[in-house]
mmCIF file of all heavy atoms in Angstrom:
data_model
loop_
_atom_site.group_PDB
_atom_site.id
_atom_site.type_symbol
_atom_site.label_atom_id
_atom_site.label_comp_id
_atom_site.label_asym_id
_atom_site.label_seq_id
_atom_site.Cartn_x
_atom_site.Cartn_y
_atom_site.Cartn_z
ATOM 1 N N PRO B 73 0.283 -14.659 -21.227
ATOM 2 C CA PRO B 73 0.667 -15.528 -22.346
ATOM 3 C C PRO B 73 0.192 -15.008 -23.703
ATOM 4 O O PRO B 73 0.808 -15.282 -24.730
ATOM 5 C CB PRO B 73 -0.022 -16.859 -22.026
ATOM 6 C CG PRO B 73 -0.270 -16.818 -20.575
ATOM 7 C CD PRO B 73 -0.499 -15.381 -20.236
ATOM 8 N N LYS B 74 -0.896 -14.227 -23.688
ATOM 9 C CA LYS B 74 -1.427 -13.754 -24.971
ATOM 10 C C LYS B 74 -0.805 -12.432 -25.401
ATOM 11 O O LYS B 74 -1.104 -11.936 -26.468
ATOM 12 C CB LYS B 74 -2.944 -13.575 -24.840
ATOM 13 C CG LYS B 74 -3.687 -14.861 -24.588
ATOM 14 C CD LYS B 74 -5.162 -14.567 -24.425
ATOM 15 C CE LYS B 74 -5.863 -15.746 -23.762
ATOM 16 N NZ LYS B 74 -7.077 -15.311 -23.088
ATOM 17 N N LEU B 75 0.006 -11.858 -24.524
ATOM 18 C CA LEU B 75 0.547 -10.533 -24.834
ATOM 19 C C LEU B 75 1.499 -10.560 -26.014
ATOM 20 O O LEU B 75 2.222 -11.525 -26.227
ATOM 21 C CB LEU B 75 1.315 -10.012 -23.620
ATOM 22 C CG LEU B 75 0.541 -9.156 -22.651
ATOM 23 C CD1 LEU B 75 1.499 -8.623 -21.608
ATOM 24 C CD2 LEU B 75 -0.137 -8.025 -23.366
ATOM 25 N N SER B 76 1.485 -9.469 -26.773
ATOM 26 C CA SER B 76 2.502 -9.306 -27.798
ATOM 27 C C SER B 76 2.911 -7.846 -27.812
ATOM 28 O O SER B 76 2.169 -6.981 -27.361
ATOM 29 C CB SER B 76 1.957 -9.717 -29.166
ATOM 30 O OG SER B 76 0.883 -8.850 -29.501
ATOM 31 N N ILE B 77 4.098 -7.562 -28.313
ATOM 32 C CA ILE B 77 4.592 -6.189 -28.393
ATOM 33 C C ILE B 77 3.622 -5.355 -29.228
ATOM 34 O O ILE B 77 3.337 -4.195 -28.937
ATOM 35 C CB ILE B 77 5.997 -6.173 -29.031
ATOM 36 C CG1 ILE B 77 6.962 -7.006 -28.218
ATOM 37 C CG2 ILE B 77 6.504 -4.746 -29.181
ATOM 38 C CD1 ILE B 77 7.379 -6.396 -26.917
ATOM 39 N N ASP B 78 3.131 -5.977 -30.269
ATOM 40 C CA ASP B 78 2.201 -5.325 -31.181
ATOM 41 C C ASP B 78 1.006 -4.733 -30.433
ATOM 42 O O ASP B 78 0.605 -3.597 -30.662
ATOM 43 C CB ASP B 78 1.711 -6.391 -32.168
ATOM 44 C CG ASP B 78 1.465 -5.767 -33.530
ATOM 45 O OD1 ASP B 78 2.135 -4.753 -33.815
ATOM 46 O OD2 ASP B 78 0.612 -6.282 -34.268
ATOM 47 N N PHE B 79 0.450 -5.542 -29.521
ATOM 48 C CA PHE B 79 -0.734 -5.139 -28.768
ATOM 49 C C PHE B 79 -0.455 -3.870 -27.955
ATOM 50 O O PHE B 79 -1.317 -3.009 -27.813
ATOM 51 C CB PHE B 79 -1.132 -6.294 -27.841
ATOM 52 C CG PHE B 79 -2.298 -5.990 -26.952
ATOM 53 C CD1 PHE B 79 -3.581 -5.906 -27.475
ATOM 54 C CD2 PHE B 79 -2.110 -5.785 -25.591
ATOM 55 C CE1 PHE B 79 -4.652 -5.621 -26.642
ATOM 56 C CE2 PHE B 79 -3.187 -5.502 -24.762
ATOM 57 C CZ PHE B 79 -4.453 -5.429 -25.296
ATOM 58 N N LEU B 80 0.766 -3.770 -27.450
ATOM 59 C CA LEU B 80 1.104 -2.635 -26.594
ATOM 60 C C LEU B 80 1.153 -1.320 -27.356
ATOM 61 O O LEU B 80 0.914 -0.257 -26.799
ATOM 62 C CB LEU B 80 2.457 -2.870 -25.913
ATOM 63 C CG LEU B 80 2.524 -4.017 -24.929
ATOM 64 C CD1 LEU B 80 3.912 -4.098 -24.317
ATOM 65 C CD2 LEU B 80 1.495 -3.830 -23.837
ATOM 66 N N PHE B 81 1.495 -1.383 -28.659
ATOM 67 C CA PHE B 81 1.709 -0.129 -29.380
ATOM 68 C C PHE B 81 0.667 0.151 -30.447
ATOM 69 O O PHE B 81 0.617 1.237 -31.003
ATOM 70 C CB PHE B 81 3.110 -0.115 -29.997
ATOM 71 C CG PHE B 81 4.187 -0.081 -28.957
ATOM 72 C CD1 PHE B 81 4.903 -1.224 -28.629
ATOM 73 C CD2 PHE B 81 4.457 1.091 -28.270
ATOM 74 C CE1 PHE B 81 5.880 -1.196 -27.657
ATOM 75 C CE2 PHE B 81 5.428 1.130 -27.288
ATOM 76 C CZ PHE B 81 6.142 -0.014 -26.983
ATOM 77 N N LYS B 82 -0.172 -0.852 -30.762
ATOM 78 C CA LYS B 82 -1.128 -0.649 -31.854
ATOM 79 C C LYS B 82 -2.282 0.244 -31.423
ATOM 80 O O LYS B 82 -2.600 0.367 -30.242
ATOM 81 C CB LYS B 82 -1.678 -2.003 -32.294
ATOM 82 C CG LYS B 82 -1.377 -2.295 -33.757
ATOM 83 C CD LYS B 82 -1.638 -3.731 -34.077
ATOM 84 C CE LYS B 82 -3.080 -3.981 -34.415
ATOM 85 N NZ LYS B 82 -3.316 -5.366 -34.809
ATOM 86 N N LEU B 83 -2.927 0.853 -32.416
ATOM 87 C CA LEU B 83 -4.103 1.668 -32.123
ATOM 88 C C LEU B 83 -5.287 0.772 -31.807
ATOM 89 O O LEU B 83 -5.398 -0.335 -32.339
ATOM 90 C CB LEU B 83 -4.435 2.545 -33.338
ATOM 91 C CG LEU B 83 -3.350 3.535 -33.736
ATOM 92 C CD1 LEU B 83 -3.777 4.314 -34.964
ATOM 93 C CD2 LEU B 83 -3.020 4.474 -32.602
ATOM 94 N N PRO B 84 -6.189 1.241 -30.953
ATOM 95 C CA PRO B 84 -7.382 0.436 -30.668
ATOM 96 C C PRO B 84 -8.340 0.449 -31.844
ATOM 97 O O PRO B 84 -8.307 1.347 -32.681
ATOM 98 C CB PRO B 84 -7.999 1.149 -29.469
ATOM 99 C CG PRO B 84 -7.493 2.537 -29.538
ATOM 100 C CD PRO B 84 -6.156 2.487 -30.200
#
Side-chain angles (χ1 to χ4, degrees):
Chain B
K74 295 178 197 156
L75 267 186
S76 63
I77 301 287
D78 214 27
F79 177 72
L80 295 181
F81 293 103
K82 240 167 85 176
L83 298 179

